[in-house]
Amino acid sequence: MSFVIGSALLFCPADRPERYLKAAERSDAVILDLEDAVAPDDKERARSEIKAQLGGKGNAPSLDPGRTIVRINPVGTDEFENDLQCLALTPYRTVMLAKTEDAQQLRALASYRVVALCETAAGVANAGSIAAEPNVVAMMWGAEDLLASLGGTSSRHSDGGYRSVALHARSSVLMAAGAAGKHAIDSVYLDIADLEGLALEASDAVASGFGSKACIHPSQVAVVRAAYAPSDADVLEARRLLAAAAAAGSGVFRFNGRMIDGPILKHAEATLQRTVCH
């Protein structure tokens, strides 16, 4: 079964089954979280909830496996092994590996599609080799765990902008994903009420090359989708530019006062591709 990663992914605590379907309906893909969103004493119950929602004729899941990611606990923990035992009884075969730190860890998940979440110093440093693993379908980065792994206290300045170390990690994971031809997912925006700040960050994610942005609240989904959906003016400009390129043949040409070459045409193609996705 293939898995299509859309622009707006929504985390849902795995111990809150009453939210599963709502989260799936409001996003492009739902991330059932067995890691940070679930307290240690509730993890076994969360796994039970994932298994319990499998029902109906033929044991069909209530969630679409093609739009469901399960965030599992880090490799080397007892919870990781318990998570795998749970997943073996489900049709879900796309996982997000929390605190991915090296390529070797991905080989324990050879039968799964993996979203590698690089959120420690080791994970960011090894992002290139992690992205190159064949079962990795996407790369994501995380800011707060990263700063904690460095002994820091906050990933952002008081104005909401990222500190330089977080920006370095963001760029490193994006570059690693791009070099390996993998999908890149931008990290969450924790200030739920600040939709304007989210819109600016999501727009930057689009312009930078991230294919998706993760959300922690349903209200954020529409903002992220709006950032990824090109405007009518953008679409018209892209179509005119590509038509002009076809008429010009090969090589550099002039369009609306600008010199146009290959990379600019790829930007236009990316704009039209986002139209298809939305």
Side-chain angles (χ1 to χ4, degrees), residues 164-253:
S164 58
V165 65
L167 290 174
H168 172 77
R170 186 179 190 239
S171 298
S172 296
V173 172
L174 175 60
M175 294 290 282
K182 305 296 174 69
H183 190 91
I185 303 170
D186 197 22
S187 190
V188 298
Y189 194 82
L190 294 178
D191 189 345
I192 296 172
D194 182 17
L195 296 181
E196 182 177 349
L198 170 63
L200 290 172
E201 189 165 288
S203 295
D204 180 75
V206 175
S208 298
F210 284 97
S212 306
K213 188 166 181 63
C215 304
I216 58 171
H217 191 273
S219 66
Q220 297 181 324
V221 171
V223 177
V224 171
R225 281 178 169 166
Y228 275 87
S231 68
D232 291 343
D234 289 339
V235 171
L236 180 60
E237 179 75 3
R239 286 176 175 164
R240 287 176 173 171
L241 176 57
L242 292 173
S250 61
V252 176
F253 66 98

Side-chain angles (χ1 to χ4, degrees), residues 62-271:
S62 58
L63 294 175
D64 178 3
R67 294 199 310 116
T68 304
I69 302 169
V70 181
R71 178 159 78 163
I72 58 177
N73 287 276
V75 173
T77 65
D78 290 340
E79 300 296 354
F80 171 80
E81 299 298 334
N82 293 335
D83 291 346
L84 291 191
Q85 291 176 21
C86 168
L87 286 172
L89 302 175
T90 78
Y92 303 128
R93 289 297 175 268
T94 306
V95 300
M96 177 180 288
L97 179 60
K99 299 177 178 65
T100 306
E101 294 199 320
D102 61 61
Q104 182 64 37
Q105 294 177 336
L106 280 304
R107 292 160 200 171
L109 295 164
S111 61
Y112 293 90
R113 293 177 293 268
V114 181
V115 176
L117 177 51
C118 298
E119 51 184 342
T120 65
V124 173
N126 293 324
S129 59
I130 290 168
E133 285 297 301
N135 60 329
V136 170
V137 296
M139 298 284 287
M140 180 173 163
W141 76 289
E144 301 312 321
D145 280 301
L146 170 65
L147 268 292
S149 78
L150 294 170
T153 59
S154 173
S155 67
R156 296 180 186 265
H157 296 290
S158 58
D159 64 0
Y162 278 122
R163 298 184 187 281
S164 58
V165 65
L167 290 174
H168 172 77
R170 186 179 190 239
S171 298
S172 296
V173 172
L174 175 60
M175 294 290 282
K182 305 296 174 69
H183 190 91
I185 303 170
D186 197 22
S187 190
V188 298
Y189 194 82
L190 294 178
D191 189 345
I192 296 172
D194 182 17
L195 296 181
E196 182 177 349
L198 170 63
L200 290 172
E201 189 165 288
S203 295
D204 180 75
V206 175
S208 298
F210 284 97
S212 306
K213 188 166 181 63
C215 304
I216 58 171
H217 191 273
S219 66
Q220 297 181 324
V221 171
V223 177
V224 171
R225 281 178 169 166
Y228 275 87
S231 68
D232 291 343
D234 289 339
V235 171
L236 180 60
E237 179 75 3
R239 286 176 175 164
R240 287 176 173 171
L241 176 57
L242 292 173
S250 61
V252 176
F253 66 98
R254 185 178 179 128
F255 178 77
N256 287 348
R258 300 171 61 202
M259 294 304 295
I260 306 299
D261 57 7
I264 303 303
L265 297 179
K266 289 182 179 179
H267 295 171
E269 290 167 354
T271 295

